[in-house]
Amino acid sequence: MSAGISLRIDIVSDVVCPWCIVGYLRLQQALSQLSEDIRPHIEWHPFELNPNMPSEGQNLREHIQEKYGSTLEQSEAVRDQLKSLGEELGFSFHFSPESRIYNTFEAHQLLHWAQPYGKQTELKLALFDAYFSQAKDPSDRNTLLDIVESIGLGRELAERVLVDEMYVEAVRDSQQQWQNQNIRAVPAFIFNNRYLLSGAQPVETLLQVINECVEQAS
């Protein structure tokens, strides 16, 4: 492989999507097997699984049943699968009968804001952890500001971003852009603006696509 090869990776996802964190951690496993000469650049893009979700959210089991028609047994089986996958990848999924799903539009606004500061991935991972591991509400503004502060970004500035709706249109435009490219489910990984992989793919599949990108760039 040639020295100094840049690898652009765009990830379209939502912070309440469990397969998005699974897919990202598998991506990290794939990237860890690459030569140090490969320089990956990751950028996250917004996707709302539930854009019309009310502020109070909804019980997760009820939501899954209504949206996908899943039975209680099917829902439990998926949760068990996710817990096992999480353990393999070093991530903790904590589900309970009280688990809820929430609107994430403000979280996406903060992720957009964090990108120029080089903190987007750190914020995304902190949001995944808060929701899936700590059962926190990512639609709650104080929770969001606590998370922003915990990764070293300014709380007051982040609050102004939300109060003044500084990036509302930018996030909506980004969502529309990816929908126009037929992104209808997440996670979606786009490599070098050319190769699309949908879903939490196995490490081997990710490596195959990454190596193709690297070979073409060499």
Side-chain angles (χ1 to χ4, degrees):
M1 296 180 182
S2 300
I5 296 176
S6 178
L7 176 67
R8 179 180 177 88
I9 308 172
D10 292 285
I11 308 176
V12 185
S13 81
D14 199 355
V15 299
V16 293
C17 164
W19 297 106
C20 289
I21 180 59
V22 170
Y24 173 76
L25 294 173
R26 286 176 172 172
L27 174 66
Q28 287 302 304
Q29 287 187 343
L31 294 176
S32 71
Q33 300 182 41
L34 298 178
S35 163
E36 293 182 359
D37 293 332
I38 310 305
R39 300 192 307 269
H41 171 75
I42 293 173
E43 189 165 333
W44 298 86
H45 303 281
F47 187 98
E48 289 180 87
L49 288 173
N50 309 287
N52 299 316
M53 182 64 64
S55 58
E56 69 272 14
Q58 183 183 16
N59 179 274
L60 183 57
R61 283 178 174 171
E62 293 176 1
H63 175 76
I64 295 298
Q65 184 177 23
E66 288 179 9
K67 188 172 183 177
Y68 303 107
S70 301
T71 66
L72 178 61
E73 292 75 16
Q74 290 170 328
S75 180
E76 287 296 329
V78 172
R79 291 186 183 199
D80 288 343
Q81 180 187 13
L82 285 166
K83 287 178 182 178
S84 296
L85 287 172
E87 289 175 3
E88 293 173 9
L89 296 165
F91 185 85
S92 297
F93 285 104
H94 292 306
F95 296 111
S96 76
E98 289 74 40
S99 292
R100 300 184 71 77
I101 194 154
Y102 300 95
N103 182 279
T104 55
F105 190 56
E106 288 201 340
H108 286 300
Q109 293 173 55
L110 292 176
L111 285 161
H112 183 92
W113 163 70
Q115 196 275 331
Y117 295 98
K119 290 278 192 176
Q120 194 183 41
T121 292
E122 191 174 353
L123 177 57
K124 187 80 173 190
L125 295 179
L127 288 164
F128 280 136
D129 178 74
Y131 177 63
F132 289 112
S133 302
Q134 302 180 51
K136 292 184 178 180
D137 176 359
S139 70
D140 178 77
R141 188 166 289 181
N142 283 327
T143 296
L144 289 172
L145 297 177
D146 286 345
I147 295 170
V148 162
E149 195 171 27
S150 75
I151 66 164
L153 288 172
R155 185 186 187 95
E156 292 183 3
L157 181 54
E159 185 172 21
R160 189 157 69 247
V161 164
L162 298 178
V163 171
D164 294 346
E165 299 186 340
M166 297 167 109
Y167 297 109
V168 165
E169 290 306 317
V171 170
R172 286 179 176 152
D173 287 347
S174 181
Q175 289 175 319
Q176 188 61 53
Q177 171 196 340
W178 294 106
Q179 289 175 17
N180 290 344
Q181 296 185 45
N182 294 317
I183 303 297
R184 298 288 183 264
V186 289
F189 300 87
I190 302 92
F191 297 88
N192 282 351
N193 297 312
R194 184 166 184 175
Y195 294 95
L196 166 66
L197 282 179
S198 296
Q201 297 288 337
V203 174
E204 296 75 17
T205 303
L206 291 161
L207 272 173
Q208 181 180 353
V209 171
I210 290 170
N211 284 328
E212 288 182 20
C213 291
V214 170
E215 288 174 6
Q216 290 185 0
S218 300

